Amino acid sequence: MTTICSFDCNQSAVKSIAGDVKPIAPVDGKWVEVSPRVFEDRVRNLAYGLMVRDYRRDECVVFSGFTEEMKPFIKTACRLAHITPNFNESADGPRLSVDDVEYLMLIGGTWSRKYKASVDRTIARIILGC
């Protein structure tokens, strides 16, 4: 297999997907501003965790209790996991709360080897506009 481009060390890849927002991510139970590299690592782990939960592609998952600052992190991870985030608490669908995020990130970190290639392909497709 030939690799055209690796996004492992490209901190701007996830930033270009998330947009020009302040990088806020959960660290030890608190949502704080982090470096772009930490933001990317944590977004990837959440995306892997969402994939472990086996949500269907384009499935709408309801996220409750999130502030506006937290939403770019969640939206980016969902985009990498191919699910649709919904922040309307009255919407139907599987529900995740703020408390679930760090657990999903922990699970995702454990399963990163299985899902890394899929997330890398998704990042490449988004950046290339495919």
Side-chain angles (χ1 to χ4, degrees):
M1 176 179 4
T2 303
T3 301
I4 297 172
C5 176
S6 173
F7 291 101
D8 285 342
C9 298
N10 187 352
Q11 296 174 10
S12 64
V14 171
K15 184 174 171 41
S16 68
I17 295 168
D20 198 20
V21 297
K22 189 164 49 168
I24 302 289
V27 177
D28 297 328
K30 297 179 183 172
W31 288 74
V32 296
E33 188 169 354
V34 295
S35 70
R37 183 68 196 172
V38 171
F39 183 82
E40 177 182 358
D41 290 342
R42 294 192 173 269
V43 161
R44 283 175 173 270
N45 283 341
L46 179 56
Y48 302 149
L50 292 167
M51 295 167 116
V52 169
R53 289 285 299 259
D54 207 24
Y55 293 116
R56 291 185 321 264
R57 187 178 193 94
D58 297 323
E59 183 173 6
C60 182
V61 176
V62 179
F63 291 85
S64 59
F66 291 86
T67 66
E68 289 300 316
E69 286 184 323
M70 298 172 179
K71 289 179 183 180
F73 179 84
I74 300 300
K75 289 177 182 178
T76 304
C78 288
R79 190 165 182 199
L80 297 180
H82 298 280
I83 63 172
T84 305
N86 188 328
F87 296 97
N88 181 354
E89 296 191 23
S90 64
D92 290 331
R95 297 186 175 281
L96 293 173
S97 70
V98 175
D99 298 331
D100 297 324
V101 169
E102 286 209 61
Y103 176 70
L104 286 174
M105 289 169 50
L106 179 65
I107 291 173
T110 303
W111 286 87
S112 62
R113 191 171 200 185
K114 179 177 181 179
Y115 296 106
K116 183 181 182 318
S118 175
V119 168
D120 285 347
R121 280 191 305 273
T122 300
I123 291 172
R125 286 181 181 138
I126 292 169
I127 289 175
L128 297 173
C130 299

